[in-house]
Amino acid sequence: MEDLKNKLNDSQYKAATAINGATLIIAGAGSGKTRTLTYRIACMISQGIAPQNILALTFTNKAANEMRERIKSIVGSQNSYRIWMGTFHSVFSRILRAESAATGFSSNFTIYDTADSKSLIKSIISELGYDETKYKPNEILSRISKAKNALITPNAYSANANILAEDKKQKKPYIFNIYATYMQKCKNANAMDFDDLLLNTNILFRDNAAILEKYQNQFQYILIDEYQDTNYSQNLIIKKLAEKHGNVCAVGDDAQSIYAFRGARIENILNFRNDYPNYKEFKLEENYRSTQTIVNAANSIIKNNTNQLKKECFSKSETGEKIGIIQSYTDQEEGFLVADSISDAIRQKRISYSNFAILYRTNAQSRIFEDALRRKNIPYKIYGGLSFYQRAEIKDFIAYLRLCVNHNDDEAFKRIINYPARGIGNTTMERLQLLANEEQKSLFDAVKSDNIASGGIKPATQKKLYDFVNLIESFTAKIFTVDAFEFAKNLASESGIIADLEQNISVEGKSRYENIGSLMNGIKEFCSSDRINNDNQSDFATTINEYLDNVALITDADNEKAEDADKISLMTVHQAKGLEYGHIYITGMEENVFPVTKDISLNELEEERRLFYVALTRAKTKVNISFSQSRYRWGKLEYNRISRFVLEIDKQFLETGSNCEVSINKSDNNSIADSCDEMISQPKHTITTVIKRQPSNQHTPSANFAISDYKDVRTGMRIEHNLFGYGKVINIDKYAPDGKMIVMFDDNFKRTLLFKYAKIRIVK
């Protein structure tokens, strides 16, 4: 293997070569943790550790594939593919299928996605006769998910007085019943959701000592990426597997723990030293991504958190530009100013759209930026939008594949029973469901019941149901005789899906047809990949079972498409985790927006601060922060102060003047004191202003107030603004609908006003 000392810095080298015992690698943003993990695994293999004895867990397939490709280039394809490497869910689903005899499920169980689970819960709520306005599927699924990740089974849930009391307080006293019914129906359908993969692995290891010991012997070395994102259930599995050999390496950054709402526990990384007392600790503190200014600004933010593992990140790259502050009066104006700033940067620096990302705290904030970018003809993409695999035609076809593999999959059956149209309506399905419930069968098996005629289903409809079942059974018989691509191509043709799509010549119809073609391409690529199975043989006959597993376990972060490459990215800060861009715009930096609410606990506040830290550290060369003095919410205009997080940035890293003082009263986390008397003059096309406080007395327009034409405005004129009052125009940037003027108002504040939005009257 290559000389590691020439490939890694000193900290990375020490972390990569200390392969025995418990190890905690605290990896700051942009510090090369993937590189370090890659060489750590390569180092293990070079020292004679068998690849199949290494377990490497990640949170996305993208991360796992990237690491595997790097390892393959060092130690070869054969060694690379023998490593147990993948997401928590993909590895544990593999174990659950292998040990299915001990789980009560068949090895061909279906993995339900969120849409499947919501659909099932909705039908359960209806069946049980509960009020659908109170028991909303989204909320119920979230409650069930939290229970599973805390390893609370339906029986434990219904026996927990505190949980039941909380449900009753929320006027949803029957969640326990929905949970129990949901689990039973999943079991009947031979299906698991994502949370079940973790819950059932814990149960498997808890109840089967021999199976646990088997995997403890198998996984002699365990590595976990993004350890700060693990939940209680995941961490317990890791601790069980590591009990025998103790060779567990956790890699992560507590400063980037931002998924508490998904059940992630920052305590897992903070308490690593307690779980493994003889652990070794390494810190990767050199940031290879960002400029010194960005790294230092991020340090000045995160030091305000009390609950953290201390580290001091640094960068040896260029000092870089200071962080820009873009202030607007309204959120609509904020969108325009950000779009204008991006347009100017692209023109001046001659860089591509893909270098830019606009980040916001919540998805609802994207609209104003989309509108502004459209007006300027700037191409953009919404990150985390509708996944390819969530499109209706794709889910329909995947449902066909799922039902061929698992006849008990009622959600797949319901989705495709009348696609393409077979004349099977809701009444038929309601009667078939009643029969299935009475006989405790799946919908598929209910079609074959001797009692189907007595259920009120007409003979002509019975034949349509029989024909559908026979079609599925004919393909089930072929699963292990052809590879996934041939199987899917034939099914698409014989099911009538292709003919149905070809008949629709609308633009939407053509798009649906092309999407199915793209899916076929993906299946072909999957079958052509050079994967190696457990017996170290090329896996040429890829079955549809394996393909479905691959699709079911794809995460949102794995769905980026090449054709979206040269566009500006719009996304929430949560979605930006793990990504990087040359220029980042962090928007909506106001109290009650970011941090997201004023009623916030200390722990929640610290997570919000970590989220801002993540946003800052996505940038390579330039960060702009924008905020608005006013913002509409549900049609009501609200005024918010600038976010405390902006005020926590050491002002030497901000584009502000020496006479600008911004600070937080450290004795009160909810108290913000800020003052600044002057906007800094900037070069043309640079829209950067300093932080200013909201005037205490809002101006009442004069009786003769009438909005003047912006074309008549000149430098030196005295004007009246409908809210800010009287002032003098001291500078005009450009005369155009997107032009702007600088006004010194009588309250001694300078403000930048956009012609497009400013309501002013020329006085003289």
Side-chain angles (χ1 to χ4, degrees), residues 685-697:
H685 303 305
T686 300
I687 314 165
T688 305
T689 69
V690 298
I691 304 157
K692 298 189 289 287
R693 60 179 182 271
Q694 181 71 18
S696 56
N697 296 315

Side-chain angles (χ1 to χ4, degrees), residues 161-434:
N162 291 333
I163 293 178
L164 296 181
E166 180 61 26
D167 287 349
K168 191 172 182 179
K169 181 181 177 182
Q170 298 293 327
K171 298 183 179 178
K172 300 176 182 66
Y174 301 115
I175 290 178
F176 76 93
N177 200 18
I178 298 173
Y179 183 14
T181 306
Y182 172 74
M183 290 293 277
Q184 187 57 54
K185 283 186 175 288
C186 283
K187 187 73 175 289
N188 294 343
N190 193 34
M192 296 186 198
D193 63 25
F194 265 41
D195 297 319
D196 287 327
L197 297 176
L198 303 179
L199 175 63
N200 289 332
T201 300
N202 267 298
I203 292 172
L204 175 70
F205 289 159
R206 180 197 67 189
D207 296 344
N208 299 273
I211 292 176
L212 172 60
E213 186 178 15
K214 169 185 172 182
Y215 288 100
Q216 286 175 335
N217 290 330
Q218 171 85 47
F219 305 134
Q220 296 176 20
Y221 291 83
I222 303 171
L223 303 94
I224 311 99
D225 192 15
E226 305 288 7
Y227 193 67
Q228 76 280 351
D229 293 336
T230 55
N231 61 28
Y232 175 74
S233 183
Q234 290 164 328
N235 197 42
L236 188 58
I237 294 172
I238 293 165
K239 288 167 73 174
K240 286 179 180 176
L241 290 173
E243 277 178 358
K244 189 164 188 176
H245 294 95
N247 297 317
V248 56
C249 175
V251 184
D253 182 6
D254 59 296
Q256 297 185 67
S257 178
I258 60 173
Y259 294 119
F261 68 97
R262 292 182 186 169
R265 290 164 51 93
I266 191 174
E267 295 84 2
N268 291 345
I269 192 167
L270 295 179
N271 294 334
F272 187 88
R273 63 189 66 188
N274 299 327
D275 293 334
Y276 306 95
N278 297 319
Y279 84 111
K280 298 183 292 290
E281 181 178 288
F282 301 94
K283 295 181 181 180
L284 308 184
E285 297 172 302
E286 182 173 356
N287 185 308
Y288 291 93
R289 174 189 302 151
S290 308
T291 64
Q292 293 178 37
T293 295
I294 293 170
V295 172
N296 291 336
N299 286 343
S300 71
I301 287 293
I302 204 63
K303 72 179 183 182
N304 291 284
N305 272 10
T306 57
N307 207 15
Q308 63 174 298
L309 299 170
K310 295 295 182 181
K311 64 179 181 300
E312 189 67 26
C313 293
F314 64 95
S315 172
K316 292 181 181 178
S317 64
E318 61 180 351
T319 302
E321 298 180 61
K322 291 187 177 183
I323 294 171
I325 305 291
I326 299 176
Q327 179 189 9
S328 61
Y329 178 65
T330 68
D331 51 354
Q332 193 175 24
E333 187 181 32
E334 179 189 26
F336 176 85
L337 287 172
V338 168
D340 197 45
S341 175
I342 291 173
S343 181
D344 286 348
I346 288 172
R347 182 174 63 253
Q348 292 171 5
K349 299 180 180 180
R350 300 182 181 276
I351 50 182
S352 63
Y353 297 117
S354 60
N355 275 286
F356 294 83
I358 299 174
L359 310 184
Y360 33 77
R361 179 63 182 80
T362 62
N363 280 306
Q365 293 168 251
S366 74
R367 180 189 59 79
I368 59 172
F369 301 107
E370 291 187 66
D371 290 347
L373 293 171
R374 281 197 192 104
R375 289 193 191 104
K376 284 189 166 291
N377 256 345
I378 297 175
Y380 69 89
K381 59 181 176 179
I382 300 291
Y383 203 96
L386 184 65
S387 159
F388 177 81
Y389 293 98
Q390 291 301 315
R391 292 171 181 167
E393 62 274 17
I394 302 302
K395 285 187 70 67
D396 289 339
F397 190 71
I398 293 295
Y400 265 97
L401 299 179
R402 280 170 40 181
L403 193 60
C404 289
V405 170
N406 176 14
H407 294 169
N408 292 330
D409 189 343
D410 283 355
E411 292 306 305
F413 185 100
K414 287 187 286 186
R415 185 173 186 95
I416 61 174
I417 185 60
N418 201 41
Y419 175 73
R422 297 183 177 86
I424 299 172
N426 291 336
T427 300
T428 297
M429 285 305 299
E430 288 171 4
R431 290 171 178 170
L432 186 63
Q433 185 69 67
L434 285 172

Side-chain angles (χ1 to χ4, degrees), residues 675-722:
S675 63
C676 188
D677 4 52
E678 188 174 0
M679 180 175 71
I680 306 307
S681 59
Q682 298 292 334
K684 191 176 182 181
H685 303 305
T686 300
I687 314 165
T688 305
T689 69
V690 298
I691 304 157
K692 298 189 289 287
R693 60 179 182 271
Q694 181 71 18
S696 56
N697 296 315
Q698 188 167 295
H699 174 70
T700 301
S702 57
N704 62 341
F705 187 89
I707 298 174
S708 300
D709 191 328
Y710 69 84
K711 294 175 183 176
D712 297 328
V713 178
R714 298 289 182 273
T715 300
M717 280 184 169
R718 187 162 174 77
I719 57 100
E720 179 189 9
H721 188 275
N722 66 319

